[in-house]
Amino acid sequence: MRESQYQAKLIDELEHRFPGCVILKNDPTYLQGVPDLVIFYGNRWAMLEVKVRENAPVQANQPYWVKTLDEMSFAAFIYPSNEEDVLRGLEQAFSTGGPTRLPERQ
């Protein structure tokens, strides 16, 4: 399976698990290494770096971005063999954790 095929299947699963979510694909040429997908759900967000297999090549700065963004909200590498674990973590982050809303600007 190619990464694009897995990504399309994953997006379908995310939309099924999180009805009404908004999923955007990031432009890899804009900010190299930033995760592939950003998911907005209610007042929460998460980012996923999609790989077709656990040992797929990783760009040097991808671990940095996943770690940094995970500290802000939720971010992870996702591939078929860890998909269920990552999606359970995402469900938990969307239901209990996540960023705090900032006050509106006056």
Side-chain angles (χ1 to χ4, degrees):
M1 178 183 334
R2 292 189 334 232
E3 186 174 298
S4 61
Q5 293 170 311
Y6 176 56
Q7 191 176 94
K9 177 185 159 299
L10 177 62
I11 288 170
D12 287 344
E13 179 62 24
L14 289 165
E15 289 172 338
H16 174 75
R17 287 194 189 212
F18 307 106
C21 71
V22 175
I23 302 170
L24 302 176
K25 291 184 181 186
N26 290 313
D27 178 356
T29 63
Y30 178 69
L31 187 56
Q32 187 180 35
V34 76
D36 297 313
L37 302 175
V38 60
I39 304 106
F40 299 98
Y41 187 63
N43 66 345
R44 311 260 195 265
W45 62 271
M47 296 185 83
L48 298 175
E49 175 58 39
V50 180
K51 298 294 183 188
V52 74
R53 62 188 184 285
E54 183 175 3
N55 61 349
V58 173
Q59 293 180 18
N61 51 354
Q62 285 178 327
Y64 165 80
W65 282 114
V66 169
K67 179 182 181 296
T68 299
L69 295 165
D70 190 48
E71 290 170 356
M72 293 178 189
S73 181
F74 182 95
F77 285 92
I78 189 167
Y79 37 86
S81 62
N82 79 343
E83 179 179 310
E84 193 55 41
D85 290 338
V86 171
L87 293 179
R88 274 196 300 266
L90 186 54
E91 286 173 343
Q92 184 177 7
F94 280 164
S95 67
T96 61
T100 304
R101 280 203 143 141
L102 296 175
E104 295 287 327
R105 289 176 61 170
Q106 300 291 327

